[in-house]
Amino acid sequence: MSKPYVRTNFHEARWDEPMIYELSTPGTRGILVPEVEDEIVDAVGDVAAALPDSLKRSAPLLLPEVDQKHVLAHYIHLTQETMGSNLSNDLSEGTCTMKYNPRLSEAMSMNPDFAEIHPEQDDSTVQGTLEIFYKFEQIMKEVSGMDRFSFQPGGGNHAVYCASSVMRAYHASRKDDKRDTIITTIFSHPCDAAAPCTAGYNVVTLYPDEQGIPDYEGLKKAVAEIGDHLAGFFMTNPEDIGIYNPNIDKFVELVHSVGGLCYYDQANANAFLGVVRAREAGVDMCHFNVHKTFGTPHGGEGPANGAFGCREFLSKFLPVPTIEFDGEKYFRDYDRPDSFGKVRGYIGTAGVILRAYSWTMMHGAEGLRMCANISVLNNNYLEKMLLSIKGLGEAFLGNGITRQEQCRYTWEELKNDTGVGTDDINKRVGDFGIPWYWASHHPWVIPEPMTLEPCETYSKCDLEEYYLSLKLVAEEAYDNPEVVLSAPHRQASHDLANPEDLDDPEKWATTWRAFLRKHGDKYLKVK
Amino acid sequence: MSGKGNIVYPYIPNSVPDVRRAMLDELGFESEEDIYKEIPDRLRFKGEMKLPAPIHSEARLQRHVEKILAKNENVKDNISFLGGGTWNHYVPALCDTIGGRDEILTSYVGEAFTDHGKFQILFESTSMLGDLTGFEACNTPTYDWPNAVAITSRMAARTTGRKEILVSENIGPERKVINENYCKPDLKIVEVKYDFENRCLDLADLKSKVSDNTALIYFESPSYLGFLETQGAEIVEIAHAKGALVAVGVDPTSLGILEAPGDYGADYAVGELQPLGVHMQCGGGLGGFIATKDEEKFVAEYPSLLFGVLPTVKEGEYGFGQVAFERTSYGSREKGKDFIGTCAALHGMIAAVYLALMGPGGMKDLGSTIMQRMAYAKAELAKVPGVKLYDGYNFKEFVVNFDDFGKSVAEVNKALLKKKIFGGIDLTKSFPELGNSALYCVTEMLSKEDIDDLVVALNEMC
């Protein structure tokens, strides 16, 4: 078996790259546009020049002017200053389900029969894409036990928003307009609070009991207080801390008893593929972050897909179009009068669905179950090692509950002992080739948090390397805290000189023009 | 070789039986069931999921997927006149090269120490979009243009403290329905008439509707029907006189030649990233942007992530971070501005590569060539008996009326399809007031020969 080691001689690429604007030389071209045929020019002349002055661009367009080789080099340099999960030990990003994304999927996504398709083409000319969508819907139905799916939401948060829209349409259809409040839990993703809020709902948040499980007594109290204003309950399970809520059916029963709907946020479904399903939990709706569990790249934060599933009684409210099959051909059905409308253009992020279909077909039911088994095994194997590190603990440590696919750890003891906290550790791990880890969603209920999720694509050796790297950094915190506190040392960039300026309207800059206006040439790399 | 029940999965290294056994032994577990014991039996899924038989080898899987995809017809083997929200533009090879790099393709939410490059690429992207639109603030991508419109409506409502959104009646149908859904809880949408005869917004109707309750006026130039709005500055003046804000929907490929909304006084520009180097993917290539003035009252209302540049502790080094993070739902849950999540960052990064390649000269040439090809297509189609075109200033798209052609748009498109031509979008349901009309789109990808083929095909139908 391969043996782990800590990358003590690691150094991330650091090209000291200027801004693309600083590479500009007037008159340079990176690519040419197809020339207009002479016959067209003869027939119509210079159409743009004939526009009225009020329509013509008045200010010079200040885009950079760079030749093709230097554009390529610039962006390759910048990509090299980024740690994607395909090239690093990225079990770091807990709650994000970072796993290997097969290159085969990328190759297939470039097929012109997939990439060069216009969404307004006649159904008869997009049978392949529609077939992929239809077949992946059948797969998702079986994985979840739900009756229908829409792949229109562009990510998990968007699926929660879609669910809020379906919930609103459902209650409106029953003329039950007073239902204006939802309940969620603090260890559910922030979107389970924020997206329903955007859709017009008040939000009540439950905290866990002393075991780390959402508090059933708290739910009873909230339900009693909200009464017939309760529209629904949004929850993750297992929650971000990796603890499965064994009372989920009781929660669902209670919410249903007062007329509310139940929503399962299954953004990270790695723990339970083939083990548990939304149907058996009794919920009415759910979503999967297809870009997480089903092996597709996260794209640096998208494109993604939030596959939204629901039971039959809610399916008439789904966004249009749905994808149907009449036995001979696939088609997009817009004729759905009870639909709440749409949340995104067209049918969804087809590239994500193509890759996920491919990934799922490679694994099959047995392979999906293997993903679940190995992800929970990896997590427990890593947990055992990590909890031996001095200074590191875990949320609800010692409650006797075996964690599922991820854990929320805490560096509280280390912080108390050394003054080195989780943000400091995080800046140091990158010096050993470990990507930035996910601390916790806000607010930090668990002090000095660190959330890790070792998916099935990490090897035993990866887990051990991760453990050894964290152990080394924790030891540094005790023996030589300055080396941790002054990190990063061997990464693509350093600490901001004044990070508080990011919150200062006089100093922040989201564009190069704003930066130049506010700071002049004071900080320019190329002067 | 592996067989049923004996698979070693190439993407699951610890599926090797000896490794798996060693790990279970280390934990004192018989199997993973010792982990799943936390789930009560009544909640467990019994049996095995009924999924299609797996295709374990990449070679066979590739064949399987390619066979399905071969049922599609693409715009390379056919001549496409489809637009309306996704457009067939050239995708430079460099866009594929960079967009396909594993470093950024498989990155996610790391901070800028280890993901410095991703931050800089997105910062350059927002910078160049700001240059195009005439603004100094811009967000990381939204899901798409329709979502950008919806988010802007809610941003403007918060900035002004007002609850009414005025929208030109001829904006894109999907943008309309998605905006309505977002505004439904607490904002009122009022449509402003479009004066089709004069190809511009009906200013009299606008003046009658704009009020002290108006948060935002949203119009598009080019409109969904391809017409350029000639009264942009007047609309801004009318809005600002009432304390309302203005957002303009733009086609970024037009802004090498057309006036930037920021330069005629608008408060926001919104639009679609897909034409900037992203493959169409049946609508999967979308990503939206919102550019605005770099003033706190505008910037503080973004729900999106904003990447900002600042100096680091090392002299001469650019560093990046999240601007005003607490404003987001990541920072403050439901107390944040609307909600944010994983959207379309990769498409924003690809747009950076595209705009860096094109530069001002490329964007100007692109705009000019599209206008010339479009004008040629309009002129040639106008010669077809029974086909009616509308004059006015267009960009990229235009309405073709078939009222006197003797065939419905559906029939025309069906006949064109047999000749491997994708006719324009059928407008008979979305814009019934235009009669038997279609929306045709011409980009730099269409040659004179392609346009002539369309004209010949229509003439043969007469």
Side-chain angles (χ1 to χ4, degrees), chain A residues 275 369 373, chain B residues 31-38 44:
Chain A
V275 179
R369 182 58 200 270
N373 282 348
Chain B
S31 73
E32 289 83 4
E33 284 301 319
D34 289 328
I35 301 169
Y36 291 129
K37 71 179 189 305
E38 301 297 346
R44 288 290 296 269

Side-chain angles (χ1 to χ4, degrees), chain B residues 141-438:
Chain B
T142 65
Y143 299 109
D144 58 9
W145 179 4
N147 277 273
V149 176
I151 289 167
T152 305
S153 294
R154 297 183 64 81
M155 285 169 65
R158 289 193 293 271
T159 295
T160 59
R162 300 175 177 187
K163 298 288 186 187
E164 210 165 88
I165 309 295
L166 301 191
V167 174
S168 170
E169 67 178 345
N170 72 344
I171 71 167
E174 291 204 324
R175 296 190 280 281
K176 191 177 282 188
V177 70
I178 289 169
N179 192 35
E180 282 169 0
N181 192 51
Y182 269 80
C183 291
K184 200 166 188 173
D186 53 355
L187 303 183
K188 182 184 173 193
I189 294 180
V190 178
E191 289 198 357
V192 179
K193 285 183 189 162
Y194 187 75
D195 176 0
F196 193 82
E197 289 309 309
N198 292 305
R199 324 277 192 254
C200 58
L201 199 67
D202 184 335
L203 290 193
D205 192 53
L206 173 66
K207 285 175 185 167
S208 74
K209 288 172 178 168
V210 68
S211 74
D212 294 342
N213 299 321
T214 307
L216 182 75
I217 296 169
Y218 174 68
F219 69 94
E220 296 172 351
S221 184
S223 70
Y224 178 74
L225 300 176
F227 295 113
L228 298 177
E229 177 55 63
T230 54
Q231 312 169 116
E234 288 98 317
I235 294 169
V236 169
E237 200 174 314
I238 292 166
H240 286 177
K242 289 284 184 184
L245 303 173
V246 174
V248 186
V250 295
D251 180 336
T253 62
S254 73
L255 292 175
I257 55 169
L258 297 183
E259 184 68 311
D263 289 335
Y264 57 84
D267 303 287
Y268 309 90
V270 298
E272 181 54 57
L273 294 168
Q274 180 274 325
L276 305 179
V278 184
H279 294 282
M280 296 189 290
Q281 303 166 59
C282 200
L286 303 182
F289 64 85
I290 303 169
T292 188
K293 297 169 177 173
D294 186 23
E295 296 171 21
E296 187 177 11
K297 68 177 180 180
F298 296 113
V299 175
E301 299 305 332
Y302 272 116
S304 323
L305 296 182
L306 301 171
F307 288 175
V309 68
L310 283 171
T312 73
V313 293
K314 190 170 178 62
E315 192 174 347
E317 183 178 78
Y318 298 130
F320 296 91
Q322 310 255 11
V323 167
F325 180 73
E326 283 303 308
R327 120 202 97 68
T328 69
S329 59
Y330 284 154
S332 304
R333 295 179 73 89
E334 74 273 17
K335 302 283 191 298
K337 312 293 182 184
D338 294 339
F339 69 94
I340 180 59
T342 301
C343 292
L346 186 70
H347 296 168
M349 290 191 261
I350 291 170
V353 179
Y354 182 88
L355 290 171
L357 276 175
M358 294 291 280
M363 292 307 287
K364 187 177 178 191
D365 287 351
L366 180 64
S368 296
T369 186
I370 287 172
M371 292 208 78
Q372 285 175 302
R373 289 172 196 282
M374 178 199 67
Y376 176 77
K378 282 178 76 174
E380 292 302 304
L381 285 167
K383 296 174 190 166
V384 178
V387 169
K388 182 182 166 192
L389 276 293
Y390 300 92
D391 59 10
Y393 302 113
N394 288 76
F395 182 80
K396 200 189 279 186
E397 306 194 58
F398 53 95
V399 176
V400 180
N401 180 278
F402 292 94
D403 279 349
D404 300 324
F405 192 68
K407 284 186 170 62
S408 70
V409 171
E411 288 168 335
V412 170
N413 281 351
K414 198 173 176 184
L416 289 175
L417 193 55
K418 287 182 181 162
K419 295 181 179 297
K420 297 186 83 64
I421 296 171
F422 300 157
I425 294 172
D426 191 337
L427 296 172
T428 50
K429 283 184 184 160
S430 51
F431 288 86
E433 65 274 22
L434 298 179
N436 189 33
S437 292

Side-chain angles (χ1 to χ4, degrees), chain A residues 355-373:
Chain A
R355 290 167 174 89
Y357 173 76
S358 167
W359 183 91
T360 310
M361 286 301 294
M362 172 172 272
H363 287 85
E366 266 188 61
L368 293 188
R369 182 58 200 270
M370 182 67 87
C371 288
N373 282 348

